[in-house]
Amino acid sequence: MTTGPGTTPHGGSPRRSLLLAGGGLKVAYQAGVLQVLLDEAELTFDHSDGASGGVFNLAMYCQGMSGREIADNWRTLSPLKGVSPNWRELPKGPYARSLFTLDGYRRHVFPDWGLDWERIRATDREATFNLYNFSANELEPVTADRMDEDRLCAGVALPMWFPPVVIDGQTYIDPVYLTDANVEEAIRRGCDELWIIWTVSRRHRWRNGFVANYFHIIETTANGRLQEWLRRIEASNAAIRDGEEGEFGRPIEVRLLDGEVPLNYLINFSRDRFAQAVELGVQHARRWCTDHGIPCKPGEPPDRPDDPTRLRFTERMVGRVVFGEDDPRKAASSAGGAAADITLHVTVDIRGMDRFLADPEHEAELRGEILCQELGGRLPVERGTFQLFVEHSDPEHLRMRYRLFFTDRAGHRLTLSGYKEVSEDSRRGIWKDTSVLYTHILRGHVAAGEESGAESVASGTVHIRPTDFLKQLTTFRVEAPTLPGRVTALGRFGQFFLGKLWDVYAQNVLPWSPL
């Protein structure tokens, strides 16, 4: 979203503010965005502001870390290091001061991130960290030169989950109920461009349960407050265009980069989930910059040690296709065109578990064969790709994608393109969603982005039968230098698979899987 013009009233360069909005652990996505904006787009900011979880990234930014360094800190974060139950208070039940403390962050996470408070306080970057002073009943923006570990913890001291922090006799908590992005402070400091990285969910889908409702309250206040500010800015800009002074006396441009991040606000036990959120932020930010005409230098892949892990399994799917039909969902009832039985026998080959799990495309190699008498019998797959649980329209609508290049007996090059649709709204159930492959056969070897203009040869559905699924479970093979490495790789794959199913089918238990 972009509103307003991009120049100051005097025609000079606009004064630019970077607003690192809150979002709990979802700000790992924000770190990926920072890698792109700071390092690849090489943007600079005259002011920066952090609220709630955004203060973590702001502290690293003020210390002088690059976007890549901030992102890498989240990529390598072990989530259990930050978990510290408030054992002394838990016996008090509903009267406990908090469920957890931030001691794990103080003892482990902050040192692992390399936070240096002397360097943060000495920064030449104009920055404000938002705390809510409960004793004075007011929002308190704190400049970088006054920051320390206590104030950083106060900025994320979410009531009930973490205890308030007492500083100089004043009680401080997370400011999220008042603001999750201090737009007012940025405008007060004379900024004309507001670059907001937003991770609070805007799905507008109500979930039942205490935990979900708790965070819906936060979403209500955060999104409502943001929308109010966007309306005020647009109204002020409109008044200025009409020759009036406007509320803010100058045009304000808003550049909002928001993402729906499949990560729970607070409950996460998976290091891979952090890495996935970071890479999603990188992917979305690069696309956003391209769409908005912001030049970026080529990005470098994450630094990953050599990963010799490899996982393979084999699938067998059977079904039928109808020639001349281009809609696989209609093929079963199609009255026209010749029908043909078809069998897919393919092996998924994942090389490097770190890359596969972190990459938002989750891509692996496919090899095997296609059996279809009408196309010439047993046809080897020349090249193929498989993508597991990639977002289709949002993180709750996922697809497994298959693309197989082969040649029929007459020498015609063909592509089998298929997908399994995994969606809570499908009403087909988890088994059919994960076992039915909607299939197109296209003329030529057609890449993923070229299907709209490709000639359709046939379409239909193939599926995994229960007996074949049981056999499939026996085909898993893992390669790693050690036995513990093989066990870990298989466990990570299983955790990813079950976690994505949770994301779609178990949202009412807990929004986004902790696995």
Side-chain angles (χ1 to χ4, degrees), residues 137 177 241 243 308 371:
N137 290 323
Y177 297 110
R241 289 193 296 269
L371 284 75

Side-chain angles (χ1 to χ4, degrees), residues 305-312 349-356 477-482 484-490 492:
D306 291 338
D307 184 3
T309 57
R310 186 175 180 181
L311 184 145
R312 300 187 300 277
D349 191 351
I350 299 170
R351 298 173 184 264
M353 193 59 65
D354 288 342
R355 174 205 58 80
F356 175 79
R477 299 291 183 271
V478 184
E479 295 179 14
T482 64
R486 293 193 290 274
V487 173
T488 298
L490 183 60
R492 290 173 68 193

Side-chain angles (χ1 to χ4, degrees), residues 29 68 132 380 486 488:
Y29 170 96
R68 176 63 175 272
Y132 184 75
R486 293 193 290 274
T488 298

Side-chain angles (χ1 to χ4, degrees), residues 5 69 101 150 199 211 280 297 367 429 432 495 499-500 503:
E69 289 172 328
T101 74
D150 283 345
T199 59
V211 174
L280 190 65
K297 64 183 183 182
R367 61 177 183 272
K432 287 189 176 180
Q495 187 178 31
K500 287 299 183 182
D503 288 348

Side-chain angles (χ1 to χ4, degrees), residues 18-20 27-43 45 54 56-58 60-61 65-68 70-71 74 197 257 278 281-282 285:
L18 173 66
L19 281 82
L20 301 176
V27 298
Y29 170 96
Q30 189 179 83
V33 174
L34 288 176
Q35 175 180 314
V36 176
L37 297 187
L38 299 179
D39 299 358
E40 298 175 18
E42 298 182 315
L43 295 173
F45 297 90
F56 288 152
N57 292 328
L58 181 59
M60 290 185 267
Y61 172 74
M65 294 187 193
S66 67
R68 176 63 175 272
I70 297 171
W74 284 98
I197 309 176
L257 197 163
V278 172
V282 170

Side-chain angles (χ1 to χ4, degrees), residues 86-356:
N86 197 343
W87 297 115
R88 290 185 178 181
E89 292 290 322
L90 290 181
K92 298 179 182 179
Y95 299 100
R97 187 171 177 83
S98 66
L99 297 175
F100 300 92
T101 74
L102 288 162
D103 291 347
Y105 277 82
R106 292 176 184 265
R107 295 171 184 166
H108 306 295
V109 176
F110 297 160
D112 286 352
W113 283 349
L115 293 187
D116 183 330
W117 291 106
E118 289 187 5
R119 292 179 61 188
I120 292 170
R121 286 190 288 268
T123 185
D124 59 357
R125 291 172 171 171
E126 183 181 339
T128 44
F129 295 74
N130 291 281
L131 318 180
Y132 184 75
N133 187 328
F134 186 80
S135 299
N137 290 323
E138 64 180 8
L139 181 67
E140 188 174 308
V142 178
T143 53
D145 61 298
R146 296 177 53 214
M147 282 301 295
D148 55 25
E149 187 176 277
D150 283 345
R151 287 180 171 83
L152 187 70
C153 288
V156 295
L158 196 61
M160 189 188 81
W161 297 94
F162 304 109
V165 179
V166 178
I167 303 172
D168 298 331
Q170 303 287 295
T171 299
Y172 290 90
I173 62 172
D174 190 312
V176 67
Y177 297 110
L178 190 62
T179 184
D180 221 19
N182 198 341
V183 174
E184 182 176 12
E185 183 69 16
I187 294 176
R188 189 185 71 80
R189 289 175 176 267
C191 295
D192 314 288
E193 273 188 16
L194 310 182
W195 293 63
I196 306 173
I197 309 176
W198 191 263
T199 59
V200 173
S201 177
R202 305 175 83 191
R203 286 182 299 163
H204 314 299
R205 175 171 286 193
W206 188 264
R207 296 291 182 182
N208 297 326
F210 174 79
V211 174
N213 283 190
Y214 181 93
F215 289 107
H216 284 332
I217 294 171
I218 290 177
E219 291 163 0
T220 300
T221 57
N223 287 319
R225 186 70 167 161
L226 177 66
Q227 289 300 116
E228 178 188 353
W229 273 105
L230 295 180
R231 284 193 294 267
R232 288 173 62 181
I233 290 171
E234 180 55 39
S236 178
N237 288 343
I240 291 171
R241 289 193 296 269
D242 291 340
E244 302 173 15
E245 183 177 356
E247 179 182 356
F248 305 115
R250 65 185 186 279
I252 304 292
E253 180 177 10
V254 176
R255 291 178 175 263
L256 176 64
L257 197 163
D258 63 331
E260 194 61 53
V261 186
L263 185 65
N264 190 272
Y265 289 106
L266 287 181
I267 304 173
N268 174 52
F269 305 123
S270 169
R271 177 174 170 175
D272 289 326
R273 282 257 166 177
F274 281 137
Q276 290 161 22
V278 172
E279 299 310 326
L280 190 65
V282 170
Q283 182 190 66
H284 286 185
R286 286 172 177 166
R287 186 184 306 146
W288 187 89
C289 286
T290 298
D291 292 344
H292 289 79
I294 299 171
C296 292
K297 64 183 183 182
E300 297 181 359
D303 289 329
R304 295 192 182 101
D306 291 338
D307 184 3
T309 57
R310 186 175 180 181
L311 184 145
R312 300 187 300 277
F313 62 91
T314 299
E315 282 188 330
R316 184 175 186 270
M317 292 175 278
V318 299
R320 65 196 294 270
V321 293
V322 176
F323 290 91
E325 176 60 63
D326 58 7
D327 186 344
R329 297 176 186 270
K330 296 179 180 179
S333 58
S334 176
D341 293 333
I342 188 170
T343 299
L344 307 184
H345 195 271
V346 294
T347 295
V348 176
D349 191 351
I350 299 170
R351 298 173 184 264
M353 193 59 65
D354 288 342
R355 174 205 58 80
F356 175 79

Side-chain angles (χ1 to χ4, degrees), residues 1 53 72 178 181 249 321 338 352 382 397 400 403 426 515:
M1 173 182 179
D72 282 347
L178 190 62
V321 293
E382 298 163 19
H397 295 79
M400 304 184 203
R403 185 166 301 275
S426 71
L515 303 176

Side-chain angles (χ1 to χ4, degrees), residues 395-398 422-424 499-507:
E396 289 182 68
H397 295 79
L398 308 177
V422 181
S423 170
E424 182 187 34
K500 287 299 183 182
L501 293 181
W502 182 314
D503 288 348
V504 175
Y505 302 106
Q507 285 275 340

